[in-house]
Amino acid sequence: MESQFEMNKGNTKMTWKLIETLINKKNNNRSSISKLINNNNCYTDKISICNQLNSHFINIGPNLAEKIQTQDNTDPIKYITHSLPNSFMFRAIHEHEVKDLIMALDLSKSTIGIPSRCIKLACNNISEALTCVYNQSLIQGIVPEALKISKVTPVDKGGEVFDPFNYRPISTRSCFTQVFEKLVYKQLLNHVKKYSILYQYQFGFQKGKSTEQAILEITDNLKNAIDNNLFTFGVFLDFAKAFDTVNHMVLLAKLEKYGVRGIPLQWFTSYLTNRQQYVSLGNVQSTNQNAVFLKVVH
């Protein structure tokens, strides 16, 4: 094991995997949940447990967002001091892009619907039709409903097995959805980079940047402050359910400020609305439920 750590000392992801192996940390799918307590009610049959978990995952973010206290009713958009005059427009997707992403699908990753192995085998026969569907979606500003369905698998975080708060929802989409999302992501990212929209010190969710760089930046600032006999302090925030509590109306308004307007904005609105998800436990699954779209601007 020591030699494996030495071989992967520059690979943070692999290092964490080795640590998890050492402490025997397992992301265990509790397909054997025999009881769930939610809102003071006890559920023992599999379908009810799945439905309750699905409802819990869908509503936990909005319920938490409603409890967030604000000092005033200031519109968050006012903090964006200027509106980008250059509008983002979708370009046509080429068939070779679709083929490349299909062939790059990771067979070890879970999907719903047609298995990724089958999609890879049929790539040459379906890529033209898929490209047409994707382009029509971008032209019309409408995301097909079939591409907005997710399977949620509850992963045990530890604690009481009957408490829904002790499960982390892992969402899985179809291969067709994954390919489409990557195509759109690439186009939007090009727009973001071209106009330097992201803050230069945003280290998360950017290729070539990591939390290690954020630590180095903080360390460098602290050393400079100490050298100049300055007092230093830090404020570290950990937001509960950060992504689940994002207000979609504020998000869309920010996209508009950054140049995503007209049909592209309609597309992203369609992508965020009327989403469906179901929870799967073993061979039992819940009914589909609508994911909540946050309409109230705080």
Side-chain angles (χ1 to χ4, degrees), residues 188-240:
L188 182 61
L189 185 63
N190 288 337
H191 174 78
V192 168
K193 287 183 175 179
K194 182 178 181 180
Y195 296 104
S196 303
I197 292 173
L198 291 182
Y199 182 52
Q200 62 175 324
Y201 294 116
Q202 179 176 317
F203 295 100
F205 308 103
Q206 288 201 75
K207 188 175 182 179
K209 292 191 175 184
S210 67
T211 52
E212 291 177 350
Q213 289 175 293
I215 293 172
L216 289 173
E217 181 70 25
I218 292 172
T219 304
D220 188 53
N221 289 337
L222 288 173
K223 287 181 178 179
N224 288 335
I226 292 170
D227 290 341
N228 289 287
N229 296 317
L230 298 174
F231 291 102
T232 61
F233 67 93
V235 178
F236 300 89
L237 303 177
D238 183 13
F239 293 100

Side-chain angles (χ1 to χ4, degrees), residues 52-100:
Q52 288 301 312
L53 281 171
N54 199 25
S55 179
H56 169 76
F57 292 143
I58 285 173
N59 292 302
I60 188 171
N63 289 342
L64 183 59
E66 288 181 1
K67 298 177 182 178
I68 297 174
Q69 298 295 320
T70 56
Q71 297 297 321
D72 52 42
N73 293 320
T74 302
D75 185 353
I77 304 305
K78 68 167 289 187
Y79 296 105
I80 302 178
T81 55
H82 68 279
S83 180
L84 190 69
N86 305 84
S87 293
F88 166 79
M89 298 298 295
F90 286 123
R91 64 163 177 79
I93 293 169
H94 300 292
E95 187 178 349
H96 71 84
E97 294 178 280
V98 177
K99 283 185 175 181
D100 289 345

Side-chain angles (χ1 to χ4, degrees), residues 64-286:
L64 183 59
E66 288 181 1
K67 298 177 182 178
I68 297 174
Q69 298 295 320
T70 56
Q71 297 297 321
D72 52 42
N73 293 320
T74 302
D75 185 353
I77 304 305
K78 68 167 289 187
Y79 296 105
I80 302 178
T81 55
H82 68 279
S83 180
L84 190 69
N86 305 84
S87 293
F88 166 79
M89 298 298 295
F90 286 123
R91 64 163 177 79
I93 293 169
H94 300 292
E95 187 178 349
H96 71 84
E97 294 178 280
V98 177
K99 283 185 175 181
D100 289 345
L101 286 174
I102 288 177
M103 297 312 296
L105 287 171
D106 188 345
L107 297 180
S108 67
K109 295 291 181 65
S110 178
T111 62
I112 61 175
I114 302 173
S116 52
R117 186 180 299 276
C118 296
I119 293 173
K120 278 192 173 186
L121 291 172
C123 180
N124 290 331
N125 298 313
I126 64 175
S127 57
E128 183 179 356
L130 269 180
T131 304
C132 180
V133 170
Y134 292 157
N135 279 321
Q136 283 301 307
S137 173
L138 299 182
I139 291 170
Q140 297 177 34
I142 299 173
V143 180
E145 298 299 314
L147 298 184
K148 296 194 286 186
I149 299 174
S150 299
K151 179 183 80 171
V152 175
T153 303
V155 175
D156 177 32
K157 296 193 297 182
E160 299 291 350
V161 68
F162 53 78
D163 186 352
F165 285 92
N166 289 328
Y167 292 91
R168 178 182 293 109
I170 303 299
S171 181
T172 305
R173 287 108 53 229
S174 72
C175 290
F176 301 126
T177 302
Q178 293 176 34
V179 169
F180 198 13
E181 287 176 346
K182 288 178 181 178
L183 290 165
V184 172
Y185 166 78
K186 182 180 178 181
Q187 293 194 31
L188 182 61
L189 185 63
N190 288 337
H191 174 78
V192 168
K193 287 183 175 179
K194 182 178 181 180
Y195 296 104
S196 303
I197 292 173
L198 291 182
Y199 182 52
Q200 62 175 324
Y201 294 116
Q202 179 176 317
F203 295 100
F205 308 103
Q206 288 201 75
K207 188 175 182 179
K209 292 191 175 184
S210 67
T211 52
E212 291 177 350
Q213 289 175 293
I215 293 172
L216 289 173
E217 181 70 25
I218 292 172
T219 304
D220 188 53
N221 289 337
L222 288 173
K223 287 181 178 179
N224 288 335
I226 292 170
D227 290 341
N228 289 287
N229 296 317
L230 298 174
F231 291 102
T232 61
F233 67 93
V235 178
F236 300 89
L237 303 177
D238 183 13
F239 293 100
K241 300 295 179 183
F243 287 99
D244 294 323
T245 54
V246 170
N247 187 301
H248 290 173
M249 291 302 290
V250 174
L251 179 61
L252 291 169
K254 289 179 71 174
L255 282 174
E256 187 172 22
K257 281 282 188 177
Y258 292 134
V260 181
R261 307 179 180 100
I263 297 296
L265 187 62
Q266 290 180 31
W267 189 94
F268 283 105
T269 303
S270 174
Y271 177 82
L272 291 171
T273 53
N274 298 322
R275 300 191 68 83
Q276 299 262 317
Q277 72 175 50
Y278 64 90
V279 163
S280 176
L281 282 173
N283 59 355
V284 179
Q285 67 182 49
S286 71

